[in-house]
Amino acid sequence: MRLKNYLLYLFVSILQMGWSNDTDLQNIDCGILENHELLSTDIEALSSEECFKIGVCAYKNQNYSEAYAFLLSAHLKGYDKSASFQKFFAASKLAVDSINELARKNTYLKNQIQATHHLLGSSATLIENQAQPGDYQSSTQQDLLNYLFLVFAISGIFLAAKLLKNHKNVNTHNIFLAIFLFGVSIMLLELSVYWIQDFNYTPKEFFYHIHFFLWAPSLYLYIRKKLNITSNGSTLKITKHYGVFVFFCLLLLIHINITDGLNSPLSPSNNVAFIIQNAYLKFIHSTLYLIMLFRLYKEHRNSLNFSNKKWFVLAISFLAAIILIVLSRALFAEIPSFNYISKYIGAILLSLFIGVCAIMLFIQPEILTKTEALKPKPKVKYKNSGLTEDMIETLREQLLKLIENEKVYLDNTITLEKLAKSLNTDRYSLSQVINQEFGKNFYEFINDFRVQEAINIIEKNDYQIDLITDLIYESGFNNKVSFYKAFKKRKGMTPSQYIKEQKSEIIVNG
């Protein structure tokens, strides 16, 4: 324990070294606060340095509202030359916000008590002093919304656990999705519990302040793994992605366990809190991952199917919206009401995202849980082709439709030229579509359908095929050698062996 305290003291000393020689603090004489007329002086008549000194003294005397007013005035007048000013300014604002939040909770509790007295038939004095009906209705609606946030948060944690339990062994990308969803849900849970008066949750530091360093890496790794993009040393790379989050977890533990000098903005606890709560750090970190996600999506969007493309756009848009809120909180930190409003907007976004994930997991779970089957990329030999992506897609659909409706593969004289003529195109364009979209040449493509036709005939006749020769021509082949070769390549056995094996399975299964 002594070793732990010594290391902690050493860390604290290092944090304080940068402030010990600040001349701004050494020259401040807080005896000026004994002259009460000075505090009532018009702020506009004071210089920026005078506002700074009075603000520091007011803060040391725990007059946080006055301290914030004078320090804000000093800031507006251009006094921001020292790091100590930034610390006092941030600490006084945090104190004012805490006081306002506590006052809001006390007002709510008072209104609730007065309303209860009214329902129980209290005296006219209590009825006369109770909150107005509109205020009570507003607080009730707000509490209902907070409980709704709580329901979404618990649902998100349940979904993350279900995702991790049911799909972690299928594909590893589901682990990262579960981490992302769990982080979102925990943040919403902490906010809702803090807002709901019944819980009386007032932590020294909110855990959600470090969640931003968990979300972006998890979403990036999830999409990367879902696209089957792998690289050497993947375990080491994953550790690097979560390194910043681990570092901030350690800072959070240090901050929670430091109890010295809480009223001083230069205390180690406030130094660590300043880092943890810094919105600009969250914005920079998350924006870097947003850029990488956008580049990843842009590179592979043409290979994604429609459903996965929409899901990726939704997930990336959600992260972008959260980053925008973080940036807004950094830019408008001096507006006390914006702190409360921005958190509520964020809670609504978190709830909507959890709701969408819940719907998708129960209706189309494969969109979230299955690895994306990327379409083959165009080969280099077609880089100068005149076919556009839309033309290729149209020709591909026409080819499959012709195959399905007219079964042209049953014609044992079919050629690439004849098939191209049926589609009103040239052989080179058709060859490109078959090679590029199916990864096969013309005859391999046709033989796939012929072998499947042969299997359909076998199944239709209950595996009672006496003459394999009849099967050859009925499925579109024109000789025994090509039929056996194509069948064995796709099924791993000859047609006779396949029929025999299927008969055995029927007997065994009864």
Side-chain angles (χ1 to χ4, degrees):
M1 182 61 69
R2 289 184 178 179
L3 178 60
K4 177 182 177 182
N5 292 337
Y6 173 75
L7 293 175
L8 188 58
Y9 174 76
L10 180 62
F11 177 78
V12 170
S13 300
I14 293 174
L15 287 175
Q16 288 181 318
M17 284 176 63
W19 322 113
S20 59
N21 297 323
D22 199 316
T23 57
D24 291 326
L25 297 181
Q26 294 174 357
N27 296 330
I28 293 178
D29 179 15
C30 288
I32 59 175
L33 288 180
E34 297 177 359
N35 183 2
H36 298 286
E37 295 181 357
L38 183 59
L39 289 179
S40 61
T41 303
D42 185 6
I43 296 180
E44 296 297 328
L46 301 175
S47 66
S48 62
E49 186 174 356
E50 288 174 333
C51 288
F52 168 65
K53 291 181 178 181
I54 295 174
V56 170
C57 293
Y59 186 91
K60 290 182 176 180
N61 284 272
Q62 300 184 1
N63 298 323
Y64 301 120
S65 297
E66 292 178 351
Y68 180 66
F70 279 99
L71 291 172
L72 177 58
S73 179
H75 172 69
L76 295 176
K77 292 181 179 184
Y79 191 94
D80 54 1
K81 62 182 180 180
S82 65
S84 59
F85 169 80
Q86 300 293 340
K87 288 295 180 179
F88 274 105
F89 183 67
S92 63
K93 181 184 179 302
L94 181 62
V96 170
D97 288 343
S98 301
I99 293 172
N100 291 337
E101 185 67 22
L102 182 60
R104 184 186 68 83
K105 289 192 173 186
N106 290 338
T107 301
Y108 174 87
L109 182 60
K110 179 180 178 181
N111 292 340
Q112 291 290 81
I113 294 173
Q114 291 175 342
T116 304
H117 280 298
H118 174 60
L119 292 175
L120 295 176
S122 300
S123 64
T125 303
L126 286 175
I127 296 176
E128 185 177 345
N129 293 330
Q130 74 176 34
Q132 296 296 323
D135 295 335
Y136 177 74
Q137 182 180 5
S138 176
S139 62
T140 303
Q141 291 173 347
Q142 183 179 0
D143 221 23
L144 288 175
L145 181 60
N146 293 336
Y147 274 107
L148 185 61
F149 289 153
L150 181 61
V151 171
F152 273 106
I154 296 174
S155 301
I157 295 174
F158 170 77
L159 290 174
K162 178 179 176 63
L163 186 67
L164 197 61
K165 178 182 178 182
N166 297 345
H167 302 284
K168 68 175 182 179
N169 295 326
V170 179
N171 291 298
T172 56
H173 66 270
N174 293 307
I175 298 176
F176 299 113
L177 178 59
I179 295 174
F180 180 69
L181 187 57
F182 183 77
V184 169
S185 304
I186 288 296
M187 178 174 180
L188 185 60
L189 176 67
E190 191 172 21
L191 284 173
S192 58
V193 169
Y194 174 68
W195 287 329
I196 295 174
Q197 310 297 325
D198 296 337
F199 292 104
N200 194 25
Y201 176 68
T202 54
K204 181 179 179 181
E205 188 64 64
F206 289 100
F207 185 53
Y208 71 75
H209 281 148
I210 65 173
H211 278 195
F212 296 92
F213 303 102
L214 175 69
W215 293 359
S218 298
L219 184 60
Y220 174 75
L221 291 171
Y222 162 69
I223 292 181
R224 187 176 178 86
K225 290 287 185 178
K226 196 174 191 302
L227 292 174
N228 272 324
I229 301 174
T230 56
S231 58
N232 295 329
S234 58
T235 303
L236 180 60
K237 288 183 178 295
I238 290 174
T239 304
K240 290 181 178 179
H241 283 295
Y242 287 114
V244 177
F245 174 70
V246 173
F247 171 74
F248 273 84
C249 285
L250 294 176
L251 286 183
L252 183 63
L253 290 175
I254 292 172
H255 174 52
I256 292 175
N257 288 280
I258 292 178
T259 58
D260 66 309
L262 295 180
N263 288 329
S264 172
L266 303 184
S267 69
S269 181
N270 280 332
N271 285 329
V272 177
F274 179 78
I275 298 174
I276 294 174
Q277 299 172 11
N278 194 295
Y280 286 107
L281 292 178
K282 300 179 181 67
F283 170 74
I284 294 172
H285 179 268
S286 301
T287 301
L288 290 176
Y289 276 96
L290 182 64
I291 293 173
M292 290 191 293
L293 281 169
F294 180 76
R295 293 177 60 184
L296 197 65
Y297 170 75
K298 185 178 180 181
E299 181 181 355
H300 298 281
R301 62 181 177 181
N302 294 328
S303 300
L304 298 171
N305 61 41
F306 179 79
S307 299
N308 279 286
K309 185 180 294 186
K310 293 299 181 184
W311 162 235
F312 286 171
V313 169
L314 175 65
I316 295 173
S317 299
F318 166 74
L319 182 62
I322 294 295
I323 292 175
L324 184 61
I325 293 177
V326 173
L327 177 61
S328 301
R329 287 175 57 82
L331 295 176
F332 303 105
E334 298 176 2
I335 304 176
S337 59
F338 187 80
N339 175 58
Y340 186 73
I341 295 174
S342 60
K343 286 181 181 178
Y344 251 88
I345 294 175
I348 293 173
L349 280 176
L350 299 179
S351 301
L352 290 175
F353 182 78
I354 293 173
V356 170
C357 289
I359 294 173
M360 294 177 67
L361 279 173
F362 283 101
I363 296 180
Q364 287 184 296
E366 64 277 0
I367 296 178
L368 274 66
T369 60
K370 287 189 177 181
T371 304
E372 171 69 0
L374 298 178
K375 298 177 183 177
K377 293 184 178 180
K379 295 184 178 180
V380 177
K381 66 177 182 178
Y382 296 121
K383 65 179 180 179
N384 297 322
S385 172
L387 293 178
T388 64
E389 293 183 5
D390 291 338
M391 294 170 64
I392 292 174
E393 184 63 26
T394 300
L395 188 55
R396 177 180 181 275
E397 293 177 358
Q398 292 176 349
L399 173 62
L400 293 177
K401 186 175 181 180
L402 182 67
I403 292 287
E404 180 181 354
N405 294 339
E406 300 187 18
K407 294 186 177 182
V408 292
Y409 54 84
L410 295 180
D411 180 7
N412 55 24
T413 64
I414 191 70
T415 61
L416 182 61
E417 289 81 358
K418 290 175 65 175
L419 186 58
K421 186 176 180 180
S422 300
L423 294 170
N424 295 319
T425 187
D426 59 274
R427 56 173 295 181
Y428 301 104
S429 297
L430 180 59
S431 176
Q432 176 183 343
V433 171
I434 294 175
N435 287 329
Q436 181 175 308
E437 296 298 302
F438 301 97
K440 302 172 182 178
N441 62 35
F442 168 73
Y443 287 105
E444 289 293 320
F445 175 75
I446 291 296
N447 285 343
D448 282 347
F449 292 96
R450 287 173 173 172
V451 170
Q452 186 58 47
E453 181 69 20
I455 293 174
N456 293 340
I457 294 173
I458 294 173
E459 292 176 350
K460 185 177 180 180
N461 291 275
D462 298 328
Y463 305 99
Q464 303 297 324
I465 303 296
D466 297 325
L467 296 176
I468 301 297
T469 305
D470 295 337
L471 188 62
I472 295 173
Y473 297 102
E474 288 181 13
S475 58
F477 289 94
N478 55 14
N479 62 78
K480 182 177 180 180
V481 175
S482 60
F483 172 65
Y484 270 77
K485 184 178 179 180
F487 195 99
K488 188 172 183 179
K489 180 179 180 180
R490 288 156 180 80
K491 305 303 294 185
M493 62 187 74
T494 65
S496 301
Q497 292 172 336
Y498 177 79
I499 294 172
K500 183 178 180 181
E501 182 178 288
Q502 295 303 315
K503 283 183 178 179
S504 300
E505 289 184 5
I506 292 175
I507 295 173
V508 171
N509 296 329

